[in-house]
Amino acid sequence: MVSVDEVYKTVLYILNKEQRGYMSPAEFNSVATQVQLEIFEQYFEDLNVQLRVPENDSEYANRQKTIKEKISFFETNDNITGGSPFDLSGLTAKVHRLGTIEYLPQNAGFAITSSYNPVEVQEVSQHEFNLIRRSSLTAPSYDWPIFTLKDDKVITLPDLDNIEVYYVKKPKDPVWSYKVGSLGQYIYDPNGPIGTLQNFEISNIDKTEIILRILAYAGIIIRDPNIVSTATQMAINEDNIEKQ
Amino acid sequence: MGLITETDYQYYEGQQLFPWGSAEYQCTFNTKMLDLGPNHPSNYFVEWSPTNPPLPNGWNLLNPGVDYESWENVLKVTAVQPTAVLLRVTLIEPAKWDNYGGYEYIKLNDIINNFMVAYVGEDKIVERVKRSDVIFHAKRGLQEFSYDTLKSVNSMEIEVPPSLSFPIPHDYVNYVQLSWIDNIGIKHIIYPTNNLTSSPTEVPIQDGGYNALPTQDYWGENLEAQQSRTNERWRRANDRVITGERDDQYIGVYDWNWWKMAYGQRYGLEPTTTQKNGWFNIDERRGTFNFSSDLTGKLIMINYISDGLAYDTNMKVPKMAEEAMYMHILYSILSTKLNTPEYIVRRFKKERSSKLRNAKIRLSNIKLDAFTQVMRGKSKWLKN
């Protein structure tokens, strides 16, 4: 988690250092949301790259492990009941990437369920969904259920009574909350009347990248190409170092 | 953690004791407890005792479906028994028999789970595979292994009815041996009819015309006779005509040929038919075993193989063949996966072959003692 206040103050400090311009809290909040999403989405692309290169076994310098740790903070799960098709529309606002879907046998008449292992429901395409059930050897069962996604709905075979959906949630939008001072200045206030404080949820490791990327956007806002090019170049350099 | 989850008491006695007082009891039998259902009877019963320790005749039965029910081996008791102290769950005998010796096997579901854990994933030989593919190859493997590697010979004891035919067993794939059982329980092999007779697969009813063409029904399909005349004649046949066996009432000692018969030297005697155990053939049209007339009323043992997939409880693999099964799945996946280097495919083809050979040797149960016993027979002097 990265303090939104620290980032905002750093950005302002760099921008104001040479009297280049100013970034209002509303502009910062919008840009911060965009930057956080960009970096967050980059995690998955980076992981994809790292999965294809040999992994080292070190405790702190294993890139694959580091990225997985960054993503793991956003991994969560929800139980959906009601039978197939299960409606995912309640999760759409929260889900960034859908992961595993599990099924835990339950019986409403019985309280004890702790002794059962959940069963992973296999994701298949609509095409495979039709093929698999036609083969007597691979026909889905309660031991080996399958699902396909269609229009925000999870369709399972056989018809399950509940599913546990594991997913990567979207990071919350960062908000630098504030109040307006007597001189019209913006004063940081965690419980401020304007917005409720929300720090960056992505990893602390990415603080520098957040600042650089916000600066690049700030350069566009204040129409200063120097800041855009410098910040962009620095961000690229950092990226390159990470991926070498 | 050890693989055995049942206590010895549960295994040998098929029983589990609980102190009375809970609404639900988690039973830990290896056997799945079944309530009376549309496709199966209940396989357990529940009793309560007012004393602890219980008296030998102090157990009182609860009413299934009324006083208790189960789900996934959780027993839910709704009966109110203020004096109850102990509760006992008992598996019925056939359920206990199914469990005895169960440690010899591993369930197919466990094989699939183990395979997914150990062989599939990042930095493993199979990086990614669909679970349904693993299930397919595991089940196909079990079928193939059942035919010639596993100890999956089933046997059914029947009495030959007057119709001389009996339906092929439900999970039959091929027969191993049919034999009749004599009064002291000895098996006598009965042989297939081969070229002696056969059962037709179609018996069309012919018209009475010059060409005797098959007649058709309203839908244009050939009308079929209920009974095959070949079968009917075979059913009435006197086997002695074929075997050359002497009639007890007429032993034929005055026949000029009698001595030839006694020595099995009668001209034209066919060794393959010179046996008095009887014959069977398979009637594909009706899906039955047909027996020769001399077997009426006799006790028959049908030894046959199945494919191991007929029933959920059958889907298990002897632990002796567990590794062979993993290698079979692995080879099947790698050989059907695009862009797998051929040397990898060949490596696992060899692995599969050698593990399968090991499994066959292990399961053929060659024990040194039995081998020695057989070899002793070879040292006997034979007199001519």
Side-chain angles (χ1 to χ4, degrees):
Chain A
M1 190 152 307
V2 181
S3 162
V4 72
D5 187 42
E6 285 176 22
V7 171
Y8 186 42
K9 282 175 179 161
T10 311
V11 168
L12 286 183
Y13 174 75
I14 295 169
L15 285 179
N16 287 333
K17 194 180 172 198
E18 293 173 22
Q19 299 298 310
R20 286 176 187 271
Y22 183 75
M23 193 178 196
S24 70
E27 288 167 341
F28 173 80
N29 287 343
S30 302
V31 169
T33 303
Q34 173 65 21
V35 165
Q36 180 173 248
L37 273 178
E38 281 177 12
I39 296 173
F40 184 59
E41 184 54 37
Q42 193 63 38
Y43 288 169
F44 302 95
E45 298 304 322
D46 290 349
L47 181 61
N48 183 300
V49 172
Q50 293 303 326
L51 285 172
R52 283 179 280 145
V53 297
E55 193 180 0
N56 67 55
D57 199 27
S58 72
E59 195 172 352
Y60 299 114
N62 182 332
R63 286 178 179 162
Q64 205 182 102
K65 182 175 157 231
T66 308
I67 298 170
K68 281 180 179 171
E69 277 170 10
K70 286 180 182 177
I71 295 172
S72 68
F73 182 79
F74 296 93
E75 284 176 323
T76 185
N77 57 297
D78 271 312
N79 190 266
I80 304 178
T81 54
S84 177
F86 294 93
D87 191 359
L88 285 187
S89 57
L91 293 179
T92 312
K94 294 193 281 182
V95 175
H96 186 74
R97 286 270 204 291
L98 194 64
T100 307
I101 292 186
E102 287 182 347
Y103 158 63
L104 184 66
Q106 286 177 357
N107 185 328
F110 287 76
I112 298 178
T113 54
S114 58
S115 62
Y116 312 120
N117 289 322
V119 178
E120 186 177 334
V121 189
Q122 183 191 350
E123 182 174 8
V124 294
S125 65
Q126 180 63 43
H127 177 64
E128 290 168 324
F129 192 75
N130 290 329
L131 286 180
I132 286 175
R133 62 178 157 174
R134 276 172 175 72
S135 159
S136 58
L137 292 183
T138 61
S141 63
Y142 286 101
D143 284 334
W144 311 116
I146 59 170
F147 80 90
T148 189
L149 281 172
K150 197 190 231 177
D151 192 23
D152 264 0
K153 302 268 192 303
V154 175
I155 303 164
T156 64
L157 268 180
D159 191 358
L160 308 175
D161 50 22
N162 74 94
I163 53 171
E164 193 77 20
V165 181
Y166 289 81
Y167 59 93
V168 174
K169 65 181 179 184
K170 288 176 185 164
K172 287 181 187 157
D173 294 346
V175 178
W176 189 81
S177 54
Y178 60 96
K179 61 185 177 186
V180 181
S182 55
L183 299 174
Q185 78 279 30
Y186 302 119
I187 301 167
Y188 174 64
D189 185 350
N191 306 310
I194 303 173
T196 306
L197 173 71
Q198 176 59 56
N199 287 318
F200 289 91
E201 286 194 316
I202 56 176
S203 169
N204 204 32
I205 300 169
D206 295 312
K207 187 177 175 183
T208 313
E209 193 168 351
I210 293 172
I211 293 168
L212 290 173
R213 286 190 186 226
I214 292 176
L215 274 174
Y217 277 110
I220 295 169
I221 292 167
I222 62 176
R223 295 195 179 86
D224 187 335
N226 285 341
I227 290 184
V228 176
S229 63
T230 310
T232 308
Q233 191 55 48
M234 287 174 76
I236 290 170
N237 287 346
E238 196 189 310
D239 255 12
N240 286 341
I241 291 166
E242 279 179 8
K243 290 171 189 168
Q244 266 172 3
Chain B
M1 193 178 76
L3 296 180
I4 290 181
T5 52
E6 281 183 321
T7 63
D8 288 345
Y9 176 64
Q10 282 174 278
Y11 177 77
Y12 292 110
E13 298 291 339
Q15 294 179 334
Q16 190 167 6
L17 288 175
F18 297 95
W20 183 276
S22 308
E24 292 180 9
Y25 303 88
Q26 176 71 66
C27 300
T28 51
F29 293 113
N30 282 345
T31 308
K32 186 169 184 180
M33 290 159 59
L34 299 171
D35 284 331
L36 181 66
N39 300 319
H40 54 78
S42 171
N43 67 350
Y44 73 101
F45 56 89
V46 181
E47 300 156 294
W48 62 274
S49 163
T51 56
N52 186 10
L55 300 171
N57 296 319
W59 290 103
N60 305 284
L61 266 175
L62 288 175
N63 262 333
V66 180
D67 292 336
Y68 64 87
E69 60 175 327
S70 73
W71 173 72
E72 298 288 340
N73 282 21
V74 175
L75 180 74
K76 183 176 178 182
V77 177
T78 47
V80 178
Q81 296 292 349
T83 55
V85 178
L86 279 178
L87 178 122
R88 184 169 76 178
V89 182
T90 306
L91 297 177
I92 61 172
E93 286 295 312
K96 276 197 289 183
W97 299 338
D98 287 343
N99 192 29
Y100 287 156
Y103 193 69
E104 182 186 341
Y105 299 95
I106 179 166
K107 288 180 190 163
L108 194 66
N109 284 0
D110 292 335
I111 291 259
I112 293 165
N113 285 330
N114 293 346
F115 183 85
M116 295 296 283
V117 169
Y119 293 95
V120 181
E122 292 162 25
D123 296 335
K124 290 179 182 165
I125 193 77
V126 181
E127 289 225 0
R128 186 171 45 85
V129 67
K130 287 176 185 151
R131 192 179 62 196
S132 45
D133 289 352
V134 177
I135 295 169
F136 172 81
H137 290 303
K139 288 188 176 177
R140 280 293 300 124
L142 182 56
Q143 284 182 312
E144 289 297 324
F145 285 17
S146 295
Y147 303 146
D148 56 11
T149 307
L150 306 182
K151 297 186 296 176
S152 54
V153 175
N154 300 328
S155 51
M156 183 181 272
E157 183 188 277
I158 60 157
E159 191 177 300
V160 177
S163 66
L164 293 174
S165 65
F166 188 82
I168 287 172
H170 205 170
D171 55 345
Y172 170 92
V173 171
N174 202 347
Y175 71 87
V176 176
Q177 186 184 74
L178 275 78
S179 41
W180 69 272
I181 310 295
D182 66 17
N183 291 336
I184 58 169
I186 305 282
K187 285 203 303 185
H188 302 262
I189 299 172
I190 51 180
Y191 295 95
T193 51
N194 291 334
N195 296 326
L196 277 177
T197 187
S198 65
S199 298
T201 54
E202 284 183 43
V203 194
I205 296 175
Q206 294 162 281
D207 63 23
Y210 181 70
N211 289 324
L213 292 173
T215 54
Q216 284 80 33
D217 60 15
Y218 177 77
W219 294 277
E221 302 292 333
N222 278 355
L223 286 165
E224 296 278 337
Q226 285 290 315
Q227 185 62 268
S228 146
R229 288 163 73 188
T230 310
N231 286 357
E232 191 58 33
R233 288 177 188 182
W234 174 252
R235 203 172 72 82
R236 289 199 310 265
N238 179 1
D239 290 357
R240 287 171 177 158
V241 174
I242 304 161
T243 62
E245 186 190 359
R246 289 177 301 169
D247 192 325
D248 290 342
Q249 300 300 314
Y250 175 68
I251 57 173
V253 290
Y254 299 111
D255 189 294
W256 68 277
N257 271 338
W258 76 270
W259 60 272
K260 291 182 179 175
M261 290 168 69
Y263 288 102
Q265 295 171 353
R266 192 170 57 171
Y267 175 73
L269 199 68
E270 179 61 55
T272 56
T273 58
T274 316
Q275 51 95 13
K276 61 175 185 178
N277 288 340
W279 286 279
F280 74 93
N281 78 330
I282 296 171
D283 185 347
E284 298 287 354
R285 185 171 68 100
R286 295 188 305 150
T288 56
F289 281 113
N290 290 351
F291 298 96
S292 51
S293 55
D294 57 334
L295 291 168
T296 314
K298 284 192 173 166
L299 200 59
I300 300 285
M301 184 76 79
I302 304 173
N303 291 330
Y304 64 98
I305 49 172
S306 186
D307 65 356
L309 297 181
Y311 305 106
D312 281 349
T313 49
N314 283 4
M315 289 196 212
K316 56 189 182 182
V317 178
K319 286 180 177 169
M320 298 281 188
E322 188 179 342
E323 187 65 18
M325 184 59 91
Y326 293 137
M327 287 304 122
H328 168 83
I329 300 170
L330 193 53
Y331 166 67
S332 303
I333 288 169
L334 290 171
S335 64
T336 52
K337 195 175 159 78
L338 205 63
N339 296 332
T340 308
E342 196 51 36
Y343 70 91
I344 298 272
V345 176
R346 274 201 300 273
R347 188 205 302 171
F348 285 99
K349 187 176 186 179
K350 282 183 182 170
E351 281 285 322
R352 177 191 182 271
S353 173
S354 68
K355 301 295 179 196
L356 186 60
R357 189 168 57 239
N358 275 356
K360 281 183 182 176
I361 293 169
R362 289 165 173 177
L363 291 169
S364 57
N365 255 342
I366 301 169
K367 309 290 184 203
L368 186 60
D369 289 351
F371 196 67
T372 314
Q373 195 69 7
V374 172
M375 296 307 282
R376 276 194 189 115
K378 291 185 77 87
S379 65
K380 282 170 68 176
W381 284 81
L382 298 175
K383 287 183 182 175
N384 287 316

